Amino acid sequence: MNITRALEVALPDIPARVVAQRPPRPHPQMIHREHVEGGETMVRALVPGVECVFNFTPQNWQVIRLFDGQRTSEDVAAAYAREAGREIAVEDVRSLAEELDAIEFWYKTPQEKNVLLMQQSAEERRQALQRKSKWGDLAMIMFPAFNPDRFLTWLHGRIRFVFTWWFTLLTLAAFGFMIGIYITHWEQFLRDTFQFYNFTAKSGWDLAVFWGLTLILSGVHETAHGVTCKHYGGRVSSMG
């Protein structure tokens, strides 16, 4: 007997199945903003702990925000009809909720996450562990023990001038200057680039310098992403 079944037998009034199948609701710390792209309005949402930005049409967003962890799909469809003045099929609401659940949009408490994990078969978990390398993905190294949000907030307060109009013009001028250098010295750039990325004639020190420069530039690059996220109201809870 697995733990989920044991809970259903021992606690029939609050079975684990019910805990895992509560009506969905958005994350309480979710950040959302309206955004106009190509003349069309959309809503962009950032969910803590999910490494992507969600884009919704205004109609879908109007449906999504009606989910509060208590309303069922039928309740949401009825509430939408009262608020928007037009009907929406319950199946469409249910389908939207299921699609968002599949991409980890809805908020789940630690208890709900544990129950969902227990409901997975032991065979599926064993196969997943076998497929995963013990070294993980070296292209994506995360540092969960370090929360960079406070550091990025501090850094943004000191370099927020990079988001001003005059700095943008200065950056475009620098781009133009570099393009001019590329055009006038193209043969030299092509030759030096090939030599730089040709590892057949490099020593151990050259390789160490190459990876050191790569890590430094990657760190600056990813930090810039974090600062930009802070500038537009987001939170950065992990770094990698």
Side-chain angles (χ1 to χ4, degrees):
M1 179 181 292
N2 59 34
I3 298 178
T4 301
R5 181 57 184 161
L7 285 173
E8 293 181 2
V9 173
L11 303 173
D13 293 333
I14 50 172
R17 185 190 304 113
V18 175
V19 174
Q21 296 181 355
R22 288 173 180 164
R25 70 280 201 194
H27 197 291
Q29 296 180 347
M30 177 186 64
I31 298 172
H32 64 277
R33 296 285 189 277
E34 284 193 357
H35 179 74
V36 179
E37 184 173 332
E40 296 184 359
T41 301
M42 65 176 62
V43 177
R44 288 185 170 177
L46 179 65
V47 178
V50 181
E51 297 180 359
C52 68
V53 177
F54 299 93
N55 295 316
F56 302 108
T57 63
Q59 180 181 2
N60 283 345
W61 180 252
Q62 193 174 4
V63 175
I64 290 169
R65 66 182 184 81
L66 292 173
F67 282 99
D68 58 0
Q70 302 296 327
R71 291 190 177 109
T72 63
S73 296
E74 292 77 7
D75 297 333
V76 170
Y80 177 84
R82 291 193 301 269
E83 184 177 291
R86 58 181 180 272
E87 299 290 334
I88 185 172
V90 175
E91 285 303 319
D92 292 340
V93 176
R94 184 177 294 110
S95 177
L96 175 62
E98 291 174 352
E99 291 175 1
L100 293 179
D101 186 60
I103 58 176
E104 300 181 352
F105 173 80
W106 300 120
Y107 173 68
K108 288 182 174 61
T109 65
Q111 180 189 18
E112 291 169 333
K113 292 179 181 179
N114 289 337
V115 171
L116 289 174
L117 182 62
M118 289 187 296
Q119 290 179 335
Q120 294 178 353
S121 68
E123 181 64 20
E124 289 176 346
R125 288 186 304 228
R126 184 184 65 81
Q127 292 178 357
L129 290 174
Q130 287 181 343
R131 290 194 300 267
K132 185 177 180 181
S133 168
K134 69 176 182 178
W135 301 109
D137 184 359
L138 295 181
M140 180 64 69
I141 305 174
M142 302 301 296
F143 299 92
F146 171 57
N147 187 335
D149 196 68
R150 181 179 299 179
F151 164 72
L152 292 175
T153 300
W154 171 86
L155 183 61
H156 173 260
R158 282 155 180 77
I159 64 170
R160 62 188 311 160
F161 61 85
V162 301
F163 299 99
T164 58
W165 65 268
W166 63 265
F167 191 86
T168 300
L169 293 179
L170 181 63
T171 303
L172 293 175
F175 284 165
F177 180 71
M178 285 304 303
I179 291 173
I181 294 179
Y182 277 125
I183 294 175
T184 57
H185 297 76
W186 174 247
E187 292 184 358
Q188 181 179 350
F189 271 107
L190 184 63
R191 181 178 64 254
D192 291 349
T193 300
F194 176 77
Q195 292 178 353
F196 183 76
Y197 287 101
N198 182 7
F199 292 92
T200 57
K202 280 186 167 52
S203 64
W205 173 250
D206 292 331
L207 292 176
V209 170
F210 176 84
W211 284 109
L213 290 173
T214 300
L215 289 174
I216 292 173
L217 293 176
S218 298
V220 173
H221 179 90
E222 297 304 326
T223 299
H225 283 304
V227 172
T228 303
C229 182
K230 294 297 297 183
H231 180 74
Y232 288 100
R235 294 176 64 254
V236 184
S237 57
S238 63
M239 188 172 183

